[in-house]
Amino acid sequence: MIQLRSILKEILCALLMLISIISQAQQLNSSNRSTLSFDKDWQFIKEDVKGAEMSAFDDSKWRKLDVPHDWSIEGPYDVSNPTSRGGGYLPSGIGWYRKSFSLNETDAKKKVFIEFDGVMANSDVWINGFHLGKRPYGYISFYYDLTDHLKFGKDEKNILSVRADNSIQPASRYYTGAGIYRHVRLVITNPLHIDQWGVYVSTANVTSKKASVNIESSITNQSNNATTVTLETTILDPSGKNIFSKEIKQSISAGQYLSLHQNIEINNPALWNLDQPNLYKAKTIIRSGKTSLDEQTTIFGIRESKFEAATGYWLNGKNIKIKGVCLHHDAGALGSAVPLRAWERRLELLKQVGVNAIRTSHNPVAPEFLDLCDRMGFLVMDETFDTWNAAKPNGEKGYNLNFTQWWEKDTRDMIMCDRNHPSIIIYSVGNEIHDNLNDSTGFKKYKDQQDLIHKLDPGRPVTMALFRPGQSKVYDNGFADKMDIVGQNYRENELVAAHNTKPGRIVIGTENGHTQLAWLALRDNPFMSGQFLWVGIDYLGEAQWPEITFGQGLFDRTGGWKQLSYQRQSWWSDKPVVHIVRKEENAGVGDWVANWTPTDFGTYDDGKVQVYSNCDDVELFLNGKSLGSKAKPADDSPRSWDVTFEKGSLKAIGKNKGTEVASEEHKTAGDPIKIVLSADRPTISSNWDDVSYVTVNVVDANGVICPNSDKLISFMISEAGLIAGVDNGDITSHEQYQASQRHLYRGRCVAILKAKSSNGKITLKASSPGLEDATITLEATK
C-alpha cells in the first residue's frame, strides 16, 4: 500500500508538473502578439446613412460581404457620373461598412489595434460609436488604437464602423475605386510591444563576402510598470536556417518609447538581385525574464544599390539599365480590390517583355504588392503623390485639397511601412507637380519632403517627376541641383542636355513614351540610369467618352499582348524574339495587329508588314516562298515588307550567326467553329488573393484563332467556384465586369475565377449561338 501511494504521488507530481508546463506554454503563446485577418463578414451599404457609426444601429438589411471590396467597379458606366474621364465614368458616392466582433476577457489587459492597408477615400472610422480618426488619402496604410473603447467577453459585441466618402469629384485623373479595397487586420499585443512598423533593417558595406546588417527596433511600454527587457534578434537565411542571434538588455520606464540598435555581420551573404531575389528574415523577440512579450518577423534583402552620374545605376557591382514601367493600381475588371495573383500574373508578363522595374504611379501601393516585387526581383520607384497644392485638370478636388495638412503624416506612414523592401531603390515625392518651383516656397516643399525621407530611410535617394522643366526653370534656378536624382517625364533630349550641361547630375527618365527615340536615349547614353514607360498595362480612367480606359499600355486590361509589347520585347528582352505585325486595313491604314486575317478580304491586298526582332537576320515567308532576309538595323528599327496578300501562312524566321533561334507564324482564319478555353493555372486556392484567368478564344476548323470575331460568350460555373469578373480589353466597352457574359474583342475575352471552397472541382462552361461549347476544369485547393 505504501509503495502504491508512493507511485500515485509520483504520478500526481508528474501531472501537476505537466499542467504547469502547459499553463506556462499557454501563457507564453497568449503573451505574444496576435494578428487576425479582419476581411470577412462585413455589412455594407452604398449610401450615406445617419447614425451608422453607433453600436445600436440596425444594419441587418445591409449587404453582407468580405473585403477587400471596390464598389465603384460594380458600375454601371455612365457619361454623367461625376468621376468623369478621370474615374472612367464609374460611380462615386458614399459607402458604409460595419463589422461586429467579440474579444476574450483575457485580452482586456492587452493593446488592440486595427490596421487598414487602404480605404478609398476620406475615411472615418468609429469603434462602438467613438470616432477614431479621419484619413483623406485613400492610398495610405494606417492604424488606430482601439483599446480604451472596447468591450471584452464572449457575450460582448464591438462594432467597427467605416465611412468612405468618394462623393467629392472629380478627385483623380485616373481610376481610384471606392471603399475598403485593401486588407484589414486586428492586432493584439502586450502593453509593452514593438511599435507599428517598428523594426527597420538596413544593410551597408555589402560585398559577396560580407555585409553589415543594421537593425533598429522601436518598442513602447504602455504599461504602468518599469521593467528590463531583452531584445533578441535572430537572422534566418533564404533557406530558413538560423545563422545568427544577438541579444541586448535595456531597462524601460512606464510610458517610455525606446529605440534599440543592433549590428550584425553576415559572411558570404546571398545577395538580392534581379535573377536571384534572395530574402532573409530578422526575427525580433522582446522578453521580460523568460516571458516573451512580443515577436515580429521582418523580411529583408542584402544588396548594394547605388546611382552614379557618369554610369547610371549599379546593383551589387553590376551596371544595370533600369527598364521600367509605370503602373496604376487597378486591374481592369477587378477594379482596385486586386487579388495578389492578378498582380503576379501581370508582373510575369512584364518580365517576359524584359521589364525589370516598376514605378508606383502615383501613390503608395498595397504592402503585398511590394512583397511580390521583392520575391520576383523587380526594382521599384516608390511614389507618394500626384499633386501638391496646385490642382490638375480632371482632378481638381483631389489630394491638392489635403496636401498642406497631410503630406507629412502620409509621407511618414508610407516610408515607415515600405522601407524594409529590398526592391525599393528610390523614392519619388511627386508627379508632374504644377506648383511653382521657381520660388522659395516651391524649393521648401520639395526639400521638406526629401529631408523627411532621408531622416526615416537614409539609405535611399529621392527624386520627383519633373514637368516641362523649360517652363518651370528647374534646370537653371538651382531646384534640380537639390534633388538626389533628377527625374523628368518625357522630352528625353532635355534630360540628356541637363546632364551634359552639368555632368555631375544623376538622371533618370521617370515617365517615357514608347517611341524608338526614347529607347535610343536610354540605350546610347551610359549616364541615363533608366526609364519608366507610360504605361505598363492599360488602366481605367484618363479617357474621353466613349473610351473608358487609357489604352497605351504594353498590355491591355486582361493581359493581352499588343503591338507595343511585341516591339518592346525586341528591344528589352535578352532572349531571341521575332514578332510579325501588319496594318489592319489596306495600304497601311489602321492599327497594328498580329494576325494574317483581314476584316475585309475583298479590299485587302496591300499588306504593310513589320517584324520586331533582336535577331541578326530575319527572313519572311509567304506560303513557303521567301520574301527576302533583312539584317538588324543599328538603330533597332523594325524590318518592313510590302506584302501582296494571299490567304495562308505568313512566317518570319530569326537567325543569329546563321542559325535559326526564333520564329513566328500567322495563318489566315476561316469561319469560327468552336470555343477554346485555357487557364493560366490549373488550381485555385480558397484564399482571397488567388484567382485564375481563363482565356476564351474562338477558332476555325483548323484550330486557327479567329481574330475578328465579336461573339457574345455566356458562362456557367459549378458550385465550387465563382466568376469574379469578365473582360475583353476593349477600351470603349461599357459592359459590366461582374457578369456571366462578355463579347469577344479581337476574338478574345477572359473570365477571372475564384474558389468558393478549399476542395473540389471548378468547371467553367462557355457557350455562344452557332459555336461548339467548351468546358475547362480546375481544382480548388486550400
Side-chain angles (χ1 to χ4, degrees):
M1 180 65 71
I2 295 174
Q3 186 177 5
L4 179 60
R5 287 177 179 175
S6 178
I7 293 171
L8 289 173
K9 185 176 181 180
E10 288 179 7
I11 293 173
L12 181 60
C13 289
L15 286 172
L16 290 172
M17 184 176 293
L18 180 61
I19 291 170
S20 176
I21 291 171
I22 292 172
S23 176
Q24 289 178 18
Q26 289 176 337
Q27 181 181 0
L28 186 65
N29 289 335
S30 65
S31 65
N32 282 322
R33 73 171 51 208
S34 299
T35 301
L36 310 172
S37 172
F38 242 41
D39 288 347
K40 289 187 176 296
D41 300 328
W42 289 78
Q43 300 293 108
F44 170 74
I45 191 168
K46 192 172 67 174
E47 61 182 74
D48 201 8
V49 180
K50 186 177 181 180
E53 74 278 11
M54 304 306 296
S55 298
F57 183 86
D58 181 9
D59 58 18
S60 60
K61 295 182 180 179
W62 289 14
R63 175 179 163 193
K64 185 176 180 180
L65 50 75
D66 298 337
V67 300
H69 170 241
D70 172 12
W71 57 259
S72 184
I73 197 63
E74 297 172 5
Y77 280 111
D78 191 326
V79 68
S80 64
N81 277 332
T83 56
S84 189
R85 72 187 305 276
Y89 304 97
L90 283 162
S92 61
I94 295 172
W96 277 89
Y97 297 81
R98 284 167 53 92
K99 181 177 174 64
S100 172
F101 64 99
S102 297
L103 292 169
N104 295 327
E105 287 279 6
T106 54
D107 294 327
K109 295 181 180 180
K110 302 289 187 72
K111 301 294 292 184
V112 183
F113 303 90
I114 190 73
E115 296 179 350
F116 294 92
D117 287 341
V119 181
M120 190 63 68
N122 299 299
S123 67
D124 286 278
V125 182
W126 292 263
I127 183 68
N128 295 329
F130 179 83
H131 186 240
L132 294 165
K134 184 181 186 70
R135 292 305 288 261
Y137 200 27
Y139 297 104
I140 202 69
S141 297
F142 60 95
Y143 66 99
Y144 294 115
D145 185 346
L146 309 181
T147 310
D148 294 339
H149 315 287
L150 293 170
K151 304 172 186 176
F152 296 92
K154 63 180 182 179
D155 296 326
E156 296 286 355
K157 296 295 183 184
N158 296 282
I159 302 295
L160 184 66
S161 305
V162 180
R163 181 180 185 268
D165 184 356
N166 294 274
S167 63
I168 305 169
Q169 297 289 339
S172 176
R173 300 182 303 112
Y174 44 89
Y175 180 78
T176 64
I180 305 177
Y181 71 104
R182 293 180 184 166
H183 291 295
V184 185
R185 291 170 299 279
L186 190 77
V187 178
I188 303 172
T189 73
N190 274 299
L192 198 158
H193 58 270
I194 301 167
D195 276 353
Q196 173 79 346
W197 309 315
V199 178
Y200 173 38
V201 182
S202 58
T203 58
N205 306 316
V206 175
T207 70
S208 60
K209 295 182 179 180
K210 185 177 288 189
S212 178
V213 178
N214 304 300
I215 303 159
E216 179 182 341
S217 302
S218 300
I219 61 177
T220 296
N221 184 5
Q222 293 181 290
S223 75
N224 296 321
N225 302 310
T227 188
T228 297
V229 296
T230 300
L231 170 69
E232 178 186 4
T233 298
T234 301
I235 303 297
L236 288 75
D237 71 10
S239 70
K241 180 182 177 182
N242 181 341
I243 60 171
F244 200 96
S245 290
K246 193 170 188 177
E247 291 186 357
I248 56 173
K249 289 187 177 182
Q250 180 71 46
S251 60
I252 182 168
S253 303
Q256 185 182 1
Y257 165 90
L258 195 64
S259 183
L260 301 176
H261 298 262
Q262 294 171 298
N263 180 268
I264 297 173
E265 295 291 329
I266 304 294
N267 293 321
N268 304 311
L271 301 183
W272 185 94
N273 58 48
L274 303 183
D275 300 320
Q276 292 181 303
N278 296 301
L279 294 171
Y280 287 76
K281 292 179 180 178
K283 186 177 179 181
T284 305
I285 300 176
I286 305 292
R287 293 195 305 270
S288 177
K290 294 183 179 180
T291 302
S292 175
L293 298 178
D294 202 359
E295 181 178 318
Q296 188 168 309
T297 298
T298 304
I299 297 173
F300 69 98
I302 300 174
R303 86 286 188 274
E304 181 194 49
S305 174
K306 65 178 182 178
F307 291 82
E308 293 188 350
T311 54
Y313 181 66
W314 294 76
L315 181 65
N316 301 327
K318 182 179 179 181
N319 195 200
I320 293 173
K321 286 292 189 185
I322 297 172
K323 299 174 180 177
V325 295
C326 302
L327 288 179
H328 277 318
H329 80 146
D330 76 84
L334 300 171
S336 60
V338 185
L340 193 59
R341 170 56 195 166
W343 278 124
E344 183 180 43
R345 175 176 177 266
R346 287 176 158 212
L347 294 184
E348 288 169 351
L349 289 167
L350 290 168
K351 273 220 165 186
Q352 290 181 41
V353 171
V355 173
N356 63 18
I358 305 297
R359 177 185 174 206
T360 64
S361 312
H362 307 288
N363 44 257
V365 291
E368 65 268 19
F369 179 84
L370 295 175
D371 292 339
L372 191 63
C373 291
D374 292 342
R375 294 196 299 269
M376 294 183 70
F378 279 91
L379 308 172
V380 174
M381 176 183 286
D382 202 14
E383 193 157 54
T384 52
F385 311 121
D386 185 45
T387 58
W388 294 353
N389 290 117
K392 291 182 179 178
N394 306 299
E396 292 87 350
K397 298 178 181 179
Y399 193 72
N400 55 293
L401 302 180
N402 299 302
F403 177 81
T404 297
Q405 180 180 352
W406 285 98
W407 77 263
E408 185 171 1
K409 175 64 172 171
D410 289 337
T411 300
R412 181 181 298 276
D413 285 353
M414 189 193 88
I415 303 304
M416 295 286 286
C417 181
D418 295 353
R419 60 186 179 172
N420 288 316
H421 291 280
S423 56
I424 297 174
I425 60 169
I426 187 172
Y427 294 111
S428 169
V429 296
N431 172 65
E432 295 186 353
I433 296 302
H434 288 199
D435 298 52
N436 184 2
L437 305 181
N438 196 28
D439 67 4
S440 59
T441 302
F443 276 48
K444 185 177 187 303
K445 288 179 189 178
Y446 177 82
K447 190 172 187 305
D448 285 349
Q449 295 175 74
Q450 182 170 271
D451 288 349
L452 177 60
I453 294 174
H454 285 168
K455 178 182 177 181
L456 298 171
D457 188 10
R460 291 183 177 93
V462 179
T463 188
M464 65 181 287
L466 294 172
F467 177 61
R468 298 180 183 174
Q471 295 180 15
S472 61
K473 309 297 183 184
V474 291
Y475 290 148
D476 303 318
N477 63 11
F479 184 95
D481 300 316
K482 293 185 178 296
M483 301 170 68
D484 293 338
I485 295 174
V486 178
Q488 181 183 317
N489 285 6
Y490 306 105
R491 304 188 182 199
E492 291 78 14
N493 60 324
E494 290 185 9
L495 188 57
V496 169
H499 171 84
N500 289 335
T501 300
K502 290 187 176 182
R505 286 171 171 162
I506 303 172
V507 296
I508 189 168
T510 43
E511 189 170 309
N512 302 90
H514 298 280
T515 66
Q516 181 184 357
L517 286 176
W519 159 231
L520 294 179
L522 176 62
R523 189 196 74 172
D524 297 342
N525 290 291
F527 56 81
M528 286 288 288
S529 301
Q531 292 180 342
F532 290 87
L533 301 176
W534 194 263
V535 61
I537 299 174
D538 291 356
Y539 59 90
L540 300 173
E542 204 163 1
Q544 197 67 37
W545 187 272
E547 294 181 0
I548 45 81
T549 293
F550 186 92
Q552 293 301 306
L554 294 176
F555 295 92
D556 70 24
R557 293 190 309 255
T558 69
W561 287 69
K562 300 162 66 176
Q563 172 257 341
L564 292 173
S565 46
Y566 292 136
Q567 184 174 50
R568 186 59 52 172
Q569 190 180 42
S570 74
W571 289 340
W572 281 8
S573 177
D574 295 328
K575 298 178 180 179
V577 171
V578 171
H579 292 299
I580 308 168
V581 296
R582 66 175 179 88
K583 281 292 188 176
E584 188 169 21
E585 306 300 334
N586 194 54
V589 177
D591 297 329
W592 291 104
V593 294
N595 65 64
W596 196 235
T597 307
T599 53
D600 185 350
F601 288 91
T603 60
Y604 189 86
D605 62 357
D606 182 6
K608 302 299 182 184
V609 175
Q610 288 189 344
V611 176
Y612 303 136
S613 179
N614 53 11
C615 297
D616 296 342
D617 297 282
V618 173
E619 189 170 8
L620 190 67
F621 296 86
L622 179 62
N623 293 323
K625 179 182 178 181
S626 176
L627 301 182
S629 180
K630 296 188 178 184
K632 184 177 184 291
D635 64 358
D636 284 347
S637 296
R639 281 159 262 199
S640 301
W641 283 264
D642 287 339
V643 181
T644 301
F645 177 75
E646 296 176 9
K647 290 184 179 181
S649 164
L650 186 68
K651 184 176 183 179
I653 295 177
K655 297 180 179 181
N656 285 337
K657 298 180 180 179
T659 301
E660 180 179 335
V661 292
S663 65
E664 184 171 271
E665 183 177 20
H666 295 325
K667 293 182 178 180
T668 307
D671 293 332
I673 298 296
K674 65 178 181 178
I675 299 169
V676 175
L677 302 180
S678 60
D680 69 329
R681 59 206 320 227
T683 62
I684 318 175
S685 75
S686 54
N687 186 308
W688 185 92
D689 273 306
D690 201 11
V691 292
S692 178
Y693 279 71
V694 175
T695 299
V696 182
N697 288 116
V698 171
V699 300
D700 68 6
N702 297 314
V704 178
I705 293 174
C706 302
N708 302 318
S709 177
D710 60 358
K711 294 270 192 179
L712 179 64
I713 306 295
S714 297
F715 298 101
M716 292 182 62
I717 192 167
S718 62
E719 182 62 27
L722 62 86
I723 300 172
V726 292
D727 201 356
N728 60 14
D730 181 2
I731 66 173
T732 62
S733 174
H734 303 149
E735 295 174 274
Q736 288 194 295
Y737 298 110
Q738 297 181 8
S740 59
Q741 61 182 22
R742 190 76 176 192
H743 282 92
L744 298 171
Y745 177 66
R746 299 192 181 278
R748 179 179 177 277
C749 70
V750 300
I752 307 167
L753 308 187
K754 283 193 166 194
K756 287 166 61 178
S757 63
S758 58
N759 58 71
K761 296 186 181 298
I762 300 172
T763 300
L764 181 73
K765 178 181 178 181
S767 61
S768 184
L771 298 177
E772 182 181 328
D773 297 349
T775 61
I776 192 169
T777 300
L778 294 84
E779 292 287 336
T781 63
K782 291 184 180 179

